[in-house]
Amino acid sequence: MAVKVGVIGVGYLGQHHARIYSELEETELVAVVDIDREKAGALAAKYNCEALDDYREIFHKVDALSIVTPTTFHYSIAHDCLREGKDILIEKPVTVTIEEADDLIKESRHRDLIIQVGHLERYNPAILAASDFFNTPVFMESERLSPFLGRATDVDVTLDLMIHDIDIMLSLIARPVKTVRAVGGKVLTDKIDVAKAWLEFEGGCAALATVSRMSPEKHRTLKVFQKDSFISIDYQNSEIKRFFRTGGDISSEVIKPEKKEPLKEELKDFVRCVRERTRPKVSGVEGRDALKVVLEINEMIKNNN
C-alpha cells in the first residue's frame, strides 16, 4: 500500500518535494499546504492532489509529511506533526536552536516516530560511491561557493550552505569536535555571506570548510586525506578522483557514478524508513549535531566582528 504523504511549504524546494512524491510508486501525494493558497492551488492542480492553507487540516489524511517551510517555523510545525503521530522529514537546518532540536528528538522517541533531516549531499551519487574508500581521514577540506542569487538571504550562509559540509565531515569522523575556529563577514546582506571554519576532532583529524555566496561561479568540492590515499569529490559534476599508493608508486582513478537526483533518492529513503520503521541515515540526532557545530561557528564569527 502506498504511503500517504503531504508537503507543508511549497516554495522553491517544496515544489520539488511535491513533484517527486507524485512520481514515486511507493507514495500517494494527498495534499500540499502553503499560506499562499493560490500557490498551493496551482501545484495541487498540477499534481492532482488537495490544496490547503492550514497544515493542521492534513493530519487525518496522511501517514508522513515533508516540512519545507522557513526554519523559524520548523519546530512548531514538527512538534504538532509528532503529537499527531506523523513521521516527518524536516528540511535543513532542523530547527533554529539546539533546545528545539532536542525536544523534537525526545518527542519522536517517546512516540516511536521517524524524524529525517534533509541533508541532501548524503545522497549525492559521488558521496555514496566514495563511501567504500573512506577509512580514517586525517584532514578534510571543503569548498562550497555560489554566485549571489538573492535567495535565502535571510539566513547566514553557514546555515544555508556550510551545514551540508559539516554534516558530511561529522559522518566521516565518528569522534566529537573538540575545537572550532572561524572567521567570516557580512558583505551583501545583514547575514554572514562568507566564512571559513577550522575544526579539530578528538583523535587528531582536522578539517577546513570554506563557504561563500559571492563567487563568480558555483564550486562544490570535498577533499579527504588519509593514510596512503587522497580522495577528491566534485559534488556538482558527481565525480570522484582517487589517488592511492600501490607499493612505491602513486596510482589514480576517476570514477563517475551513475547520475541520480539526490532529492529523489533522499525522499525514497525517507519513504523506505517509514514503511520499514528503520532509523534514517540523517535522523534528528545527526541534524542536531550539524546544527550545533554551525551555531558555534556563527557565534565565533559574530563575536569577532
Side-chain angles (χ1 to χ4, degrees):
M1 184 179 294
V3 176
K4 295 182 178 181
V5 297
V7 179
I8 303 174
V10 291
Y12 171 76
L13 190 55
Q15 294 181 42
H16 291 292
H17 279 245
R19 168 181 59 81
I20 291 167
Y21 283 137
S22 74
E23 295 170 349
L24 294 179
E25 292 182 2
E26 306 95 325
T27 57
E28 176 190 346
L29 179 63
V30 173
V32 292
V33 185
D34 202 280
I35 56 173
D36 185 338
R37 188 61 180 264
E38 186 176 340
K39 182 187 292 184
L43 204 63
K46 185 175 183 179
Y47 298 123
N48 193 30
C49 66
E50 189 176 357
L52 299 168
D53 56 13
D54 184 346
Y55 66 86
R56 297 169 189 85
E57 297 176 12
I58 204 175
F59 291 146
H60 68 287
K61 304 172 188 281
V62 300
D63 305 307
L65 290 153
S66 279
I67 300 173
V68 203
T69 63
T71 307
T72 49
F73 300 106
H74 282 185
Y75 172 74
S76 59
I77 295 174
H79 195 267
D80 286 345
C81 292
L82 293 172
R83 293 192 68 175
E84 292 293 330
K86 305 306 172 185
D87 298 314
I88 52 176
L89 186 151
I90 312 173
E91 269 303 336
K92 59 82 192 163
V94 58
T95 51
V96 174
T97 69
I98 297 302
E99 292 75 19
E100 289 176 344
D102 283 339
D103 191 53
L104 293 182
I105 292 166
K106 180 180 177 181
E107 188 73 19
S108 69
R109 287 173 173 169
H110 173 67
R111 299 178 182 275
D112 195 25
L113 293 169
I114 289 166
I115 297 179
Q116 181 166 325
V117 183
H119 284 280
L120 195 60
E121 293 292 24
R122 293 282 197 110
Y123 296 88
N124 187 297
I127 283 289
L128 295 174
S131 61
D132 290 339
F133 302 135
F134 300 131
N135 46 62
T136 308
V138 296
F139 180 66
M140 298 178 287
E141 182 177 11
S142 68
E143 287 188 319
R144 189 170 294 265
L145 314 178
S146 175
F148 187 76
L149 302 175
R151 189 176 68 83
T153 57
D154 57 336
V155 297
D156 295 309
V157 71
T158 43
L159 284 165
D160 183 37
L161 298 181
M162 185 184 279
I163 197 167
H164 285 294
D165 301 302
I166 298 300
D167 172 62
I168 293 291
M169 290 172 173
L170 294 180
S171 76
L172 297 181
I173 300 293
R175 292 176 178 269
V177 176
K178 68 174 184 178
T179 304
V180 175
R181 299 186 181 92
V183 293
K186 305 170 184 177
V187 182
L188 297 177
T189 73
D190 60 356
K191 299 291 185 178
I192 298 169
D193 292 313
V194 59
K196 280 185 181 288
W198 174 267
L199 310 180
E200 293 178 6
F201 295 81
E202 290 185 8
C205 181
L208 177 64
T210 301
V211 68
S212 170
R213 54 182 167 211
M214 300 163 41
S215 172
E217 56 188 26
K218 188 179 287 188
H219 177 77
R220 298 180 176 183
T221 59
L222 173 68
K223 298 174 183 176
V224 178
F225 300 83
Q226 53 196 24
K227 184 172 174 58
D228 295 332
S229 70
F230 158 56
I231 301 156
S232 177
I233 295 173
D234 183 336
Y235 288 109
Q236 195 172 339
N237 296 310
S238 191
E239 181 179 273
I240 306 162
K241 293 180 181 177
R242 178 173 172 249
F243 303 85
F244 52 98
R245 186 160 66 180
T246 52
D249 299 321
I250 300 295
S251 300
S252 65
E253 62 177 337
V254 177
I255 302 167
K256 294 185 177 182
E258 178 187 354
K259 288 199 173 184
K260 294 183 178 180
E261 183 181 2
L263 182 60
K264 188 169 190 176
E265 298 306 303
E266 178 182 67
L267 297 187
K268 284 169 64 176
D269 199 32
F270 172 56
V271 173
R272 180 189 62 78
C273 291
V274 169
R275 294 173 71 111
E276 299 177 6
R277 309 314 298 166
T278 53
R279 188 181 192 276
K281 182 184 300 188
V282 189
S283 72
V285 174
E286 286 76 22
R288 174 206 181 276
D289 291 346
L291 176 64
K292 182 176 184 293
V293 173
V294 173
L295 290 180
E296 288 182 34
I297 290 168
N298 281 5
E299 188 69 20
M300 185 163 289
I301 291 172
K302 289 169 184 178
N303 287 340
N304 290 336
N305 288 337

